[in-house]
Amino acid sequence: MQRIILIGMLFLSGILTSFSQENHTITIDFKGMKSDKGDIYVALYNKADDFLKKPLKGVVVKVVNKKATVTLKDILTGIYAVSAFHDVNDNKKMDTNFFGIPKEPTGMSNEAKAFMGPPKYEDAKFKVDKNTTISINIK
């Protein structure tokens, strides 16, 4: 009988822990686009090892009046980074040159810059512990 009660308490504890994690939204305002052609491809990352490789979430948003806004929902408290590119020629991919350098406008959270390679997760990361709004300049 004691085992059943103990197992039941552990089960309930696990359920309550999973419900106690707070979900937030990240609203991202994009600016700096030179035209309304194409879409903005947005990627959200939560691990340095996955940065610019394997996004946690991805979304495509329309450019209107050279601006765009996207709201990512159900984001758990944590550390995140965002990358985005403006697919100006609307071919559904980021065009790069021979060296892998983007030919289309890009932007990162915290305005993280590339130097001798792609931007670093450490430079782009930000904390989410409440509903958060960030701005990214697409250049």
Side-chain angles (χ1 to χ4, degrees):
M1 184 67 172
Q2 288 178 341
R3 279 189 175 177
I4 293 173
I5 292 173
L6 180 60
I7 291 170
M9 289 176 64
L10 288 173
F11 179 74
L12 286 175
S13 174
I15 290 174
L16 291 175
T17 300
S18 66
F19 284 123
S20 69
Q21 295 215 354
E22 291 187 52
N23 288 335
H24 308 289
T25 62
I26 301 173
T27 301
I28 309 164
D29 294 320
F30 295 98
K31 58 185 178 181
M33 286 77 76
K34 300 202 182 324
S35 77
D36 288 349
K37 293 181 183 176
D39 298 320
I40 302 288
Y41 284 70
V42 183
L44 177 71
Y45 304 90
N46 65 343
K47 297 178 186 170
D49 291 342
D50 292 342
F51 187 57
L52 302 178
K53 297 174 196 144
K54 184 181 170 191
L56 175 68
K57 286 190 178 202
V59 67
V60 179
V61 62
K62 294 276 182 209
V63 178
V64 178
N65 296 323
K66 299 178 186 174
K67 295 178 185 174
T69 299
V70 63
T71 300
L72 305 174
K73 297 179 180 180
D74 299 322
I75 306 299
L76 296 175
T77 297
I79 304 296
Y80 296 91
V82 173
S83 71
F85 75 94
H86 185 185
D87 183 20
V88 178
N89 62 6
D90 207 21
N91 66 350
K92 315 274 188 271
K93 65 178 187 174
M94 183 173 66
D95 297 323
T96 60
N97 68 15
F98 178 74
F99 298 105
I101 298 170
K103 292 166 79 175
E104 296 182 292
T106 62
M108 301 282 165
S109 48
N110 290 336
E111 300 299 326
K113 306 270 187 251
F115 179 74
M116 302 296 282
K120 307 282 187 264
Y121 181 79
E122 289 299 314
D123 296 331
K125 71 181 182 179
F126 60 97
K127 184 176 184 177
V128 174
D129 57 4
K130 60 184 178 185
N131 292 343
T132 304
T133 299
I134 63 171
S135 181
I136 295 179
N137 195 20
I138 300 290
K139 301 178 197 174

